[in-house]
Amino acid sequence: MIKAALEGRAALLADVGGTNARFALLTDGKLGAITHMAVNDYATFQEALAAYLGASAKAERPAYAILAASGAVENGRCALTNNSWIVDAEELRGTHGFSIVRLINDFEAVAWALPRLGPRSLLQLGGRQQVPGAPLAAIGPGTGLGMAVSIPRPGGEIVLASEGGHATMAGGSLREDAVIEHLRRRFGHVSAERALSGAGLENLYDALASIDGATPPKRRAADITRAGVEGTCPISRATIGMFCAMLGSVAGNLALALNARGGIFIGGGILRHIPEYLAASEFRRRFEEKGRLRRFLEPIPAYLILDDDVAFVGLRNLMEVEGIG
């Protein structure tokens, strides 16, 4: 019924993150150009969407909207975790006249993409082959730390969103314990996201500088990553090293919790720019370093997702699964 009602009509696809919102129109099965809009340029999501639709006025007005947003979705509403925007499906239907609005978590969209990602979209980080029919898990440090899981079943898959990025972060060494204690004094609860995100990189950098009695210049996440990879700043180098090691521990925990022998897939915008560094880092050692369960984890493949538009792959897959478009 939905497919028949919307056949030949355009659909709005959007990936709404803490830093950027990206929009595209899907018409007759073809995805148009993806437009990037900075969150800080607009007071509300409605303003950003209105600006995008206004700029796309010559195109057919979309009848359907499927949106991925970086936060927990409850009753068709998402208050984004890392900015003040609110995305409300009912409000969008009333304001823009969409026949249907589907709102999901942003990493749920990534999980919908996992079965569709080919070798060119992935860099394998150790492990062996995927186990057919086993769960696949996505984790991604970006503005926040996203997680989701795809569970294969006959005729499709079940995708579950997760807020596991806000679970408590555990240290894997005395030095990491000292960093977490430093962050605990600052934040109280120290989640994985407090260390494994853009802001997390800055948190680690500040903590390591304080612990080591160093006074490096104030740096943003992108500058820390650049200086660390280039080796021009010892604190930056130590920061990205710890970042990759901690991510390995958290990704290994996720693989154990979900029995994710279909693979662990790393998304987000930070590590996609430094694939060689990640591959050579402590990530894989820490992924497998789980005592008696090391042999269980050794064959599980981990992958870095290289496709910047992976969320749109997932949104299209979800539309097909639900018989739309």
Side-chain angles (χ1 to χ4, degrees):
M1 181 181 300
I2 294 175
K3 185 173 182 179
L6 296 174
E7 189 170 357
R9 302 291 301 278
L12 171 73
L13 275 59
D15 178 22
V16 188
T19 304
N20 296 292
R22 300 185 298 158
F23 300 94
L25 293 177
L26 184 69
T27 307
D28 295 327
K30 297 180 180 180
L31 188 68
I34 297 172
T35 298
H36 294 239
M37 305 176 80
V39 168
N40 287 340
D41 289 345
Y42 301 90
T44 67
F45 172 73
Q46 284 279 26
E47 286 186 14
L49 176 58
Y52 171 74
L53 292 175
S56 306
K58 293 181 180 179
E60 180 186 355
R61 301 294 286 181
Y64 180 86
I66 178 165
L67 317 168
S70 59
V73 177
E74 298 182 13
N75 300 316
R77 185 177 185 274
C78 177
L80 272 69
T81 305
N82 290 295
N83 64 46
S84 62
W85 281 11
I86 294 173
V87 184
D88 188 296
E90 191 62 35
E91 182 182 31
L92 294 175
R93 274 190 287 267
T95 303
H96 298 284
F98 296 122
S99 299
I100 298 169
V101 178
R102 182 84 152 81
L103 178 61
I104 64 174
N105 172 265
D106 62 336
F107 254 75
E108 188 177 347
V110 174
W112 277 109
L114 299 183
R116 300 294 187 90
L117 297 179
R120 292 185 179 181
S121 298
L122 301 169
L123 173 66
Q124 187 162 349
L125 303 166
R128 296 193 282 276
Q129 298 296 317
Q130 296 174 273
V131 174
L136 303 85
I139 180 171
T143 305
L145 179 64
M147 294 184 187
V149 59
S150 172
I151 304 172
R153 63 173 181 172
E157 62 266 9
I158 297 171
V159 169
L160 302 176
S162 170
E163 290 299 325
H166 298 282
T168 304
M169 185 72 214
S173 67
L174 292 176
R175 186 160 169 81
E176 289 181 8
D177 290 345
V179 166
I180 291 171
E181 175 57 30
H182 180 94
L183 297 179
R184 188 178 293 117
R185 291 195 297 269
R186 179 178 173 188
F187 296 110
H189 177 249
V190 181
S191 66
E193 183 172 288
R194 290 294 191 190
L196 300 175
S197 61
L201 268 170
E202 296 168 14
N203 292 338
L204 292 179
Y205 178 83
D206 293 343
L208 286 168
S210 177
I211 291 168
D212 291 349
T215 55
K218 194 72 176 175
R219 285 188 167 99
R220 302 301 301 271
D223 300 320
I224 294 167
T225 303
R226 186 180 306 108
V229 171
E230 294 174 353
T232 57
C233 169
I235 296 297
S236 295
R237 188 75 170 183
T239 296
I240 62 170
M242 182 173 288
F243 184 94
C244 292
M246 284 181 158
L247 180 63
S249 288
V250 174
N253 289 344
L254 187 62
L256 287 175
L258 298 174
N259 192 22
R261 291 182 293 168
I264 295 289
F265 296 77
I266 303 166
I270 295 175
L271 296 170
R272 188 179 302 121
H273 302 293
I274 54 169
E276 295 86 2
Y277 183 91
L278 177 63
S281 74
E282 291 288 290
F283 170 83
R284 186 70 206 191
R285 182 183 69 81
R286 289 282 291 272
F287 179 88
E288 297 177 3
E289 201 172 65
K290 302 295 181 186
R292 291 172 292 173
L293 269 293
R294 173 185 290 275
R295 290 188 177 181
F296 178 87
L297 287 164
E298 283 177 348
I300 295 178
Y303 304 94
L304 176 64
I305 300 173
L306 303 175
D307 188 347
D308 187 46
D309 299 322
V310 62
F312 289 90
V313 176
L315 294 174
R316 291 186 68 172
N317 187 23
L318 176 58
M319 290 183 68
E320 292 179 13
V321 167
E322 295 195 345
I324 300 165

